[in-house]
């Protein structure tokens, strides 16, 4: 979800700016997480906030995610797999967010997990190198500032590229 | 979770008895669900109650589940996989229940899903024929009254048998 269909980073930057006055420019975030830039006490406050769960309820949707996924559903059985167990009390917020923004995805196709190695699927589209490595199928990296320097193939940047990648795999051109 | 590590049925029978006066004997429940025996309106009231989630917070633990799983963790990477998405707002209750009764299982080894076909594992111990059929590895039926007449092999009844089955698979005798 985060950094693939939910714009976690924009909300996280906003929170650090409002609460602690950070004004990071994009170049500073390339290859790094906010945790690498903020003071330890501020990172701990963010973590505590994430554990409360509400943060996940109001994240913006990543540009193009909804229409791309809706079209991909014609060809693929799309599941939303999210490492919710890192913040277990965010499950309700994440579920309600999905219901609002992706009502066309069945709750039965939603997976809240910790370790993505437990997922049996052909492809995993993820921004996180650790999850892509743990996954048993073909992991596709979704570019995010923090993973810009990660060595991984295949990689897509944004939903237009992601959709084209998967349509090509399915032997269809993007409509 | 339900009917394997959490005694859903005992709590469900109790609820139907208290609220609607049903006093089902075991023989009535063989091969059937409470939904097959209760009046439609009562079933709907139970469903509404399940959707609120709190029901799952207080379920008794199935006899022997804790000690057996703790021993199986020496040999297997044990995940708890539960079809929580049928009642999405039960996730928090289920998570807190696990934390109370199975604190030795990492939250990262917990999966809340709908379709158990998405799970990549060697074995699935489950009471539900539909989930066992959807699973891609070896499904092991955990006997419950409702599945007594289901045609499925392998099948185990209770945690002593379940533990012996898995230790035999791992080439170890039960200690």
């Amino acid at each position: 979800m985060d950094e693939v269909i939910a714009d976690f980073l924009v909300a996280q930057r906003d929170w650090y700016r409002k609460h602690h006055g950070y004004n990071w420019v994009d170049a500073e975030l390339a290859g790094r997480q906010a945790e690498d830039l903020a003071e330890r006490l501020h990172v701990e406050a963010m973590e505590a906030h994430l554990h409360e769960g509400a943060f996940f309820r109001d994240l913006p949707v990543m540009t193009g995610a909804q229409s791309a996924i809706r079209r991909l559903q014609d060809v693929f059985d799309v599941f939303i797999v999210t490492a919710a167990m890192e913040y277990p009390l965010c499950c309700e917020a994440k579920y309600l967010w999905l219901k609002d923004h992706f009502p066309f995805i069945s709750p039965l196709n939603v997976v809240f997990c910790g370790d993505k190695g437990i997922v049996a699927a052909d492809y995993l589209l993820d921004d996180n190198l650790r999850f892509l490595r743990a996954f048993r199928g073909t992991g596709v990296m979704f570019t995010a500032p923090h993973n810009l320097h990660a060595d991984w193939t295949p990689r897509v940047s944004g939903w237009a590229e992601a959709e084209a990648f998967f349509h090509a795999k399915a032997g269809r051109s993007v409509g």
Side-chain angles (χ1 to χ4, degrees), chain A residues 6-28:
Chain A
D7 200 338
F8 181 88
L9 182 60
V10 81
Q12 195 189 32
R13 280 171 87 159
D14 204 43
W15 184 91
Y16 274 110
R17 187 182 49 71
K18 269 190 202 149
H19 291 79
H20 302 294
Y22 294 104
N23 278 298
W24 299 313
V25 297
D26 288 356
E28 284 176 289

Side-chain angles (χ1 to χ4, degrees), chain A residues 50 59 69 108 151 165:
Chain A
L50 292 179
L59 297 181
I69 289 177
L108 301 185
D151 183 22
F165 174 90

